Each structure stands twice: as C-alpha cells, then as structure tokens.
Amino acid sequence: MFFLANEIGAELRRVRKGRGESIVEVAMATHTSPASFTKWENEQTIPSERSLRKLADYYGVEAQQFLVLAYPDKYAQEEAESEKTALPANTIRIEDVISPETELSFNDKLISEQDKRLFAAFVSGILLSKADDKA
C-alpha cells in the first residue's frame, strides 16, 4: 500500500475527527502548536518524523501509518520489504518465474526459451483474467 506525501494531512484530519477531537485538543495533548497542526492538515507543510511519531503514540497507532504517507521515499520501501518478508518461505514470486534471467526446469531438464515464453504468457493470462473478474 503506497501513498503520496500530500495525503498525510488528510490522514491526520481523518484520525482526529474520527476521535471527535479539535485541533486545539490534539495540539495541546501532543505539545504542538495549533497553527502547525492546521498547516499539516491543510497540507501546507509536512510534519517532522518526530512529530509524526508523537502523534502516532498519542493516537495509539503504528508510526509507520503516518511516516509512509509523509515520507514515502524513505518509508514506503521499508513497508514493501516488510510485506515481502511476511510471505511463507516456500513462496515463489511470479515475477521471478517469468523473469528473462530465470532458468526454468521440468524433470531436471531446462525448459527452452520458447517454452518459457509460452509459460510466461499462460501465467500472465491467468492473472489478467482473474484481475478482470474482480473488476
């Protein structure tokens, strides 16, 4: 799940309003100025990482929820890596299977490039078909 940096203001507003709190209440509780908080919600400025961690602690959410929105170049990659490592050990990524650099074998014999392209087209077709079914 990747977001643009300018979505942090909307997320801060959503969380705050979901809790029924005013900007002044949150600002006082987190030792932040209401003016700064207003600028964050209106996406005029981006809160510092420290401020986002403080807000996450106050709201009782993972700091990553805010950090990935405000600093996607730094934190989105971390999130993608953590999602990747959450897969079972015996998982084979389709991207790796159909990669031109990957050698495929069947019954201990390498598959020809032509058969590999056919296999890749078949797998891609199945995945595209499933994506169309969901839409």
Side-chain angles (χ1 to χ4, degrees):
M1 153 165 69
F2 298 103
F3 299 96
L4 299 174
N6 66 358
E7 293 183 11
I8 186 62
E11 180 65 5
L12 292 174
R13 180 179 290 117
R14 183 191 68 75
V15 173
R16 178 183 58 78
K17 286 189 172 194
R19 292 171 50 114
E21 295 176 318
S22 72
I23 287 175
V24 173
E25 290 171 317
V26 175
M28 286 179 59
T30 58
H31 306 287
T32 308
S33 76
S36 291
F37 206 87
T38 300
K39 287 180 182 179
W40 298 340
E41 283 194 0
N42 292 329
E43 301 183 7
Q44 294 170 341
T45 61
I46 296 175
S48 69
E49 292 178 50
R50 182 173 180 230
S51 295
L52 291 172
R53 290 180 193 284
K54 195 184 319 181
L55 286 166
D57 185 51
Y58 173 73
Y59 288 135
V61 300
E62 291 291 322
Q64 188 76 3
Q65 177 180 336
F66 294 149
L67 292 168
V68 73
L69 292 171
Y71 300 98
D73 292 343
K74 184 173 182 178
Y75 291 96
Q77 184 63 31
E78 280 182 24
E79 186 170 276
E81 289 299 320
S82 69
E83 287 175 5
K84 209 183 283 185
T85 58
L87 296 173
N90 61 347
T91 300
I92 300 172
R93 296 177 58 235
I94 295 296
E95 298 91 334
D96 294 337
V97 172
I98 62 177
S99 168
E101 292 83 33
T102 302
E103 295 290 341
L104 298 179
S105 66
F106 181 71
N107 288 337
D108 295 324
K109 293 182 183 172
L110 286 177
I111 294 175
S112 70
E113 281 302 312
Q114 182 179 359
D115 287 344
K116 185 178 169 186
R117 285 192 298 272
L118 180 64
F119 177 76
F122 177 75
V123 169
S124 297
I126 290 172
L127 294 174
L128 290 173
S129 172
K130 287 187 177 249
D132 289 342
D133 289 345
K134 290 180 181 178

